[in-house]
Amino acid sequence: MKKLDLLLFGISAVTVGAVVLTAMVRHDLAHQGGLSRVGQWLLATALGTGVLAFAVKLLLIITLLNFAHPTPFPSSAPSSQQPHELSYRATEPARFVWEPLDERKPLPSRSLATQSQHFVWEALPFEAPHPKSNATTADKVALGERLFFDRSLSHDRTLACSSCHDVRGGSGADNRATARGIGGQVGKRNSPTVWNAAFQSVLFWDGRAASLEEQAKGPLVNPLEMGMPSLTAVEARVRDNPAYRAEFARVFGDTRITIEQIAAAIAAYERTLITPDTPYDRFVRGDLTALKPAQLRGMGLFQSVGCVNCHSGPNFSAASLFEQKAALRIFPAHPTPFETRYRLTRDSGAAASGSERGIWRIPSLRNVALTAPYFHNGAVDNLDEAVRIMAAAELGWSGQFLVWSDRDKILTERASPQLTDQEVRDIVAFLHALTSDSLSQHMRQARMHRTPEVRYAYARH
């Protein structure tokens, strides 16, 4: 029985009991016993203790229920709804979702329990960790930075790592839908930002690289990116530069120049690309004025609706060095009109070819307001829309579902009202609080110093 139903039943029972007791004393017992008015009150009091005891017991039961199931703050379910593009779901029958609970496979984020009342918010460290095999030194970082910006590492000498990961004037990505390689070739996936990539436990959208060192090798020989014929050819290209030979000798103690050394230097530089200076970080470190009211409301919603299931920890990604959770998730986990509109299932990521649902690494949300367009295919250029998609397609906040567990043979009904427009705006406001102050300022200054032609091209992309 629900708490409200129990309360209404109790009030009704106490009222009926009081009326019956009054009638018995005045019209029956008092009449037969010849009791005075004082005697009637004494008799009513004696008999009424039972009704009073019932009321006290009922009050205790409701109090205990409130302690056992407290209402979270903010509410774990969105408040009053305003109709938008998914409102048709409210008039349809419950939609069936088969949810396999196989521990060997990545789980939809909605199947993970939200520990909202115990979630710990953390600030980003000021330095990124490095593996024992690749200690960060000033000389190595300087060498890695030079390699990162060197166009001679591409087959036709037109592209560098920085071509898709702009860190001198941009967001650490290229702000294109999908990456552009040598000869104007266009890839099929969006370029992730390199800012704070040092904290990720796996790299690339499909999580195929387990370290920055491993990731640094991939684009060099990808025919759609930098297009070098082999890693051996990359080594030869670097050896051809006399200045590199001296630098590698100083950093690594020999002049062999191997691909492992090249990748180690680039990774060492990338570990310096971190942004711990956001309003969110200032708030968590003790500046309680750092977040605006809308950002605080969005922070509460980010926790209560379940975003923290995947975007957790200091880097807002379970695919990070801080987390012990699975780094990959099924996306989209729930069928919605969004998957057709934005072609979200054409590429299956780490899932087997032909899979109905893709499997993807959880990206960090730091500086997300600067890194549009969004998702693995760069199909969405609006952060509000990206929040709506994630709420519906990943967390199921779009209507009523029947979820079948094939392992446990349990059918569960889940009612998850869609987020209101105001709730979306509040979550987006919080995501803006994850933007680095220095990076945002640096990007504004870079745009101001571009020529009009370059500024125009930048705005278009």
Side-chain angles (χ1 to χ4, degrees):
M1 180 179 292
K2 296 181 179 179
K3 287 182 282 187
L4 181 59
D5 295 338
L6 181 62
L7 180 61
L8 293 175
F9 170 77
I11 293 174
S12 301
V14 171
T15 302
V16 172
V19 171
V20 172
L21 178 63
T22 301
M24 288 175 59
V25 172
R26 295 194 61 183
H27 302 291
D28 187 10
L29 299 178
H31 177 72
Q32 294 183 12
L35 297 177
S36 64
R37 182 174 296 275
V38 174
Q40 293 179 30
W41 276 107
L42 291 173
L43 179 60
T45 302
L47 295 176
T49 54
V51 176
L52 181 62
F54 175 79
V56 171
K57 291 178 181 179
L58 180 64
L59 181 62
L60 287 174
I61 291 172
I62 293 175
T63 302
L64 290 173
L65 286 175
N66 277 328
F67 277 108
H69 303 285
T71 301
F73 177 80
S75 173
S76 60
S79 57
S80 60
Q81 302 179 54
Q82 298 175 3
H84 54 70
E85 56 200 358
L86 288 177
S87 60
Y88 74 93
R89 295 292 298 278
T91 60
E92 288 189 351
R95 188 179 292 265
F96 180 82
V97 179
W98 178 62
E99 187 170 295
L101 299 179
D102 186 345
E103 295 180 356
R104 296 169 297 178
K105 300 178 181 178
L107 295 177
S109 61
R110 182 165 166 72
S111 68
L112 303 176
T114 305
Q115 302 296 328
S116 61
Q117 295 183 22
H118 305 287
F119 184 77
V120 177
W121 298 88
E122 301 173 81
L124 195 70
F126 290 98
E127 294 183 359
H130 56 77
K132 293 181 180 179
S133 60
N134 189 23
T136 302
T137 66
D139 286 342
K140 190 183 295 182
V141 168
L143 173 59
E145 182 176 10
R146 180 174 179 179
L147 290 164
F148 190 86
F149 288 92
D150 191 347
R151 296 176 182 269
S152 69
L153 269 63
S154 64
H155 183 61
D156 60 3
R157 300 177 186 270
T158 61
L159 295 179
C161 301
S162 60
S163 300
C164 290
H165 302 286
D166 182 7
V167 295
R168 285 187 173 166
S171 63
D174 58 8
N175 295 107
R176 300 177 184 273
T178 56
R180 182 173 297 178
I182 60 171
Q185 298 180 95
V186 178
K188 65 178 183 178
R189 293 179 184 171
N190 179 259
S191 296
T193 178
V194 73
W195 288 105
N196 304 305
F199 295 108
Q200 294 297 81
S201 60
V202 293
L203 288 306
F204 293 117
W205 275 104
D206 55 12
R208 65 183 182 274
S211 68
L212 286 174
E213 287 78 6
E214 184 179 348
Q215 185 276 333
K217 303 173 189 176
L220 298 171
V221 294
N222 188 316
L224 294 179
E225 296 183 57
M226 300 173 75
M228 291 294 283
S230 66
L231 293 175
T232 301
V234 177
E235 294 173 339
R237 183 69 64 86
V238 175
R239 289 194 200 104
D240 287 343
N241 187 328
Y244 272 137
R245 291 198 292 271
E247 287 190 65
F248 272 82
R250 182 170 63 254
V251 172
F252 294 102
D254 60 52
T255 58
R256 290 180 301 159
I257 304 185
T258 66
I259 190 61
E260 301 301 330
Q261 293 171 340
I262 294 170
I266 294 174
Y269 168 65
E270 291 179 334
R271 289 193 174 95
T272 68
L273 302 176
I274 61 175
T275 59
D277 61 329
T278 71
Y280 162 80
D281 291 298
R282 296 200 307 274
F283 177 81
V284 173
R285 292 189 180 108
D287 180 3
L288 301 186
T289 67
L291 296 184
K292 301 175 182 178
Q295 293 172 329
L296 284 170
R297 293 196 303 268
M299 185 176 179
L301 286 166
F302 191 88
Q303 176 174 319
S304 63
V305 303
C307 305
V308 295
N309 284 344
C310 293
H311 297 286
S312 55
N315 206 31
F316 287 85
S317 168
S320 73
L321 300 175
F322 308 101
E323 299 289 329
Q324 300 299 320
K325 299 179 181 178
L328 305 179
R329 294 287 193 274
I330 295 173
F331 176 78
H334 299 286
T336 69
F338 292 124
E339 65 187 59
T340 300
R341 184 180 312 164
Y342 297 113
R343 310 176 304 281
L344 299 179
T345 57
R346 289 188 182 180
D347 185 353
S348 56
S353 179
S355 297
E356 181 181 353
R357 304 280 155 193
I359 294 177
W360 302 97
R361 181 200 68 161
I362 303 168
S364 168
L365 295 184
R366 284 188 170 268
N367 303 305
V368 67
L370 305 177
T371 59
Y374 305 109
F375 301 113
H376 57 275
N377 61 356
V380 179
D381 58 8
N382 180 275
L383 190 53
D384 291 50
E385 184 77 342
V387 169
R388 289 189 181 94
I389 292 171
M390 290 302 295
E394 202 65 4
L395 292 170
W397 290 96
S398 59
Q400 189 177 23
F401 291 89
L402 295 175
V403 182
W404 171 250
S405 167
D406 192 51
R407 182 186 66 182
D408 299 326
K409 308 303 180 187
I410 295 174
L411 183 66
T412 305
E413 182 177 349
R414 294 180 180 174
S416 301
Q418 62 199 29
L419 300 185
T420 67
D421 290 342
Q422 182 59 56
E423 288 168 332
V424 170
R425 287 193 293 269
D426 287 344
I427 292 176
V428 170
F430 172 65
L431 294 178
H432 276 269
L434 305 182
T435 299
S436 162
D437 296 327
S438 59
L439 177 58
S440 182
Q441 181 180 3
H442 185 67
M443 290 177 64
R444 286 195 298 269
Q445 292 174 344
R447 285 194 291 268
M448 291 294 294
H449 287 87
R450 287 186 173 93
T451 64
E453 294 79 10
V454 173
R455 285 202 297 269
Y456 174 70
Y458 182 85
R460 291 179 62 189
H461 296 304

